[in-house]
Amino acid sequence: MPNVVFVHPDGAREELEIAEGTSVMQGATAQGIDGIVAECGGNCMCATCHVYVEPSQLASLPAMSEEEDALLNGTASERKPNSRLTCQLPVTAALDGLVVSLPERQV
Ligand code: FES
């Protein structure tokens, strides 16, 4: 299974194996990652699954939809050029080794 590394605001790192075909958000919430809230359950409606993607890995992600782009304007923590919503990131073998940083706040 692909591995995804979550970096907490204090620098602590947690590495999870997440099954292909699920989303990065689903993997994080199922395995209890503190810092991914996912209030809407992955319907691209809440922006509480926000992360900052390692910039060098941005190009390996699927393109951002208009809905995700609009929602990212309402995140609790600052939107940055490498902001993404983890519910919109399907896990594939190509994402193995993805590193995402958790924002200070989700709500
Ligand atoms: S879980 Fe709500 S937008 Fe991602």
Side-chain angles (χ1 to χ4, degrees), residues 19-92:
E20 289 183 57
T22 63
S23 70
V24 173
M25 177 281 281
Q26 287 172 314
T29 55
Q31 297 181 66
I33 286 283
D34 199 20
I36 296 289
V37 178
E39 277 174 355
C40 78
N43 291 312
C44 201
M45 293 175 65
C46 72
T48 63
C49 63
H50 176 208
V51 295
Y52 304 116
V53 175
E54 167 58 35
S56 65
Q57 297 176 311
L58 276 175
S60 65
L61 301 180
M64 186 183 295
S65 67
E66 282 182 25
E67 291 79 15
E68 182 181 356
D69 190 21
L71 209 51
L72 280 167
N73 288 328
T75 52
S77 290
E78 175 194 7
R79 180 180 184 170
K80 298 179 182 176
N82 58 337
S83 287
R84 290 297 304 257
L85 296 178
T86 51
C87 70
Q88 301 303 301
L89 302 178
V91 174
T92 63

